[in-house]
Amino acid sequence: MAIQVSNSTKKELVTLAAAAGVAVAGFIVQAAGGAEGAAAWLPLTATVVFAAAYLLAGHDVLIAAAKNLVHGNVFDELFLMSVASLGAFAIGAMEEAIGVMVFYKVGEILQEGAANKSRRSIRALLALRPDKARVRRDGGWMDCGPEEVMPGDLVLVRPGERIPVDGIVVEGSGSFDTASMTGESTPRQALPGAEALSGFVALDGALTIRAERASSDSSAARIIDLVENASKAKAKTELFITRFARWYTPAVVFTALLIALVPPLLVPGQARSEEHTSELQSPNT
């Protein structure tokens, strides 16, 4: 099966590839700047090239984080990614800053791909439920919605049509394609008295089916309901992580700020003392 990639994902992959190419150029310039007798402007050029790669890979993350800050949504993943990458860039770890953004975006692409696959699966399940049923009423056949079919009604299914409700074959003969419901690749014989589940497809021969259950209680409806509820419900572990993140994220940010700011304030002469000690220990003094 071919992998379907959306236009937005293609654009994102092209952007990341371009950022990686610019980063490689930055490594080349950086290596040239570290060589003996290299021009003095090469290190600055490497920094500019790395900054271009960083902005190319993560500009949308920075913009989204800034918008969230304006709206009061501070401690989310976008804020953390921005702080981590900008902090790495500030201390000269430019490669790490670019890597943080690139790997984050790759993870987002993989997550979006998984979500799209789930959405396609749900759409395929929704196709199990036909939008009409041909019911015998007042001596003739009339089309109505599957939700209007009541237990005991006779439903006519022609070749190629999907059965709208669970029932029993009472007239006609042929075969069912049950792959969408049971996964069976071999058609199932359809004779009077055979079970006919909603979602089955009549392959050959018109069949008259007596409805046994309402459309809302059919096999296809129950499967769709289970899938939809599973996609909406959160597991206990996921709920715990969501609650934990509300406290963990700001706690980590404030702890990092305390570690960075408090020690220099409490011991203002520590840096000067260490510098003086290193001078005394130098063999050139």
Side-chain angles (χ1 to χ4, degrees), residues 46-113:
T47 301
V48 172
V49 174
F50 279 131
Y54 170 75
L55 292 176
L56 189 60
H59 66 280
D60 52 346
V61 175
L62 298 175
I63 293 173
K67 290 181 179 179
N68 288 345
L69 283 174
V70 173
H71 292 91
N73 186 15
V74 180
F75 299 110
D76 59 359
E77 61 180 4
L78 298 177
F79 173 79
L80 292 179
M81 297 303 301
S82 301
V83 170
S85 58
L86 289 174
F89 211 95
I91 64 176
M94 296 171 287
E95 304 89 339
E96 285 78 0
I98 298 171
V100 164
M101 281 299 181
V102 169
F103 287 119
Y104 172 74
K105 300 298 284 293
V106 169
E108 288 291 299
I109 292 174
L110 295 176
Q111 179 180 345
E112 180 65 21

Side-chain angles (χ1 to χ4, degrees), residues 2 7-8 17 30 44-45 58 65-66 69 72 76 78 105 107 145 152-154 158 179 181 183 193 197 252 270:
N7 292 330
S8 60
Q30 186 183 55
L44 178 60
T45 303
L69 283 174
D76 59 359
L78 298 177
K105 300 298 284 293
D153 286 343
L154 296 179
R158 292 171 178 166
M181 293 293 294
L197 298 180
V252 169
Q270 181 177 1

Side-chain angles (χ1 to χ4, degrees), residues 203-262:
L203 294 178
D204 44 26
L207 302 172
T208 301
I209 297 170
R210 184 180 66 248
E212 297 291 315
R213 286 184 287 271
S215 174
S216 58
D217 295 328
S218 67
S219 303
R222 290 197 297 268
I223 292 175
I224 293 171
D225 183 64
L226 287 173
V227 173
E228 289 179 341
N229 288 335
S231 63
K232 294 177 182 178
K234 290 186 176 182
K236 292 183 178 180
T237 304
E238 188 177 1
L239 292 172
F240 169 76
I241 292 175
T242 301
R243 292 193 297 267
F244 179 71
R246 295 175 183 173
W247 298 97
Y248 172 78
T249 303
V252 169
V253 173
F254 288 123
T255 301
L257 289 175
L258 290 175
I259 293 174
L261 299 177
V262 172

Side-chain angles (χ1 to χ4, degrees), residues 30-44:
Q30 186 183 55
E36 185 177 354
W41 51 268
L42 283 175
L44 178 60

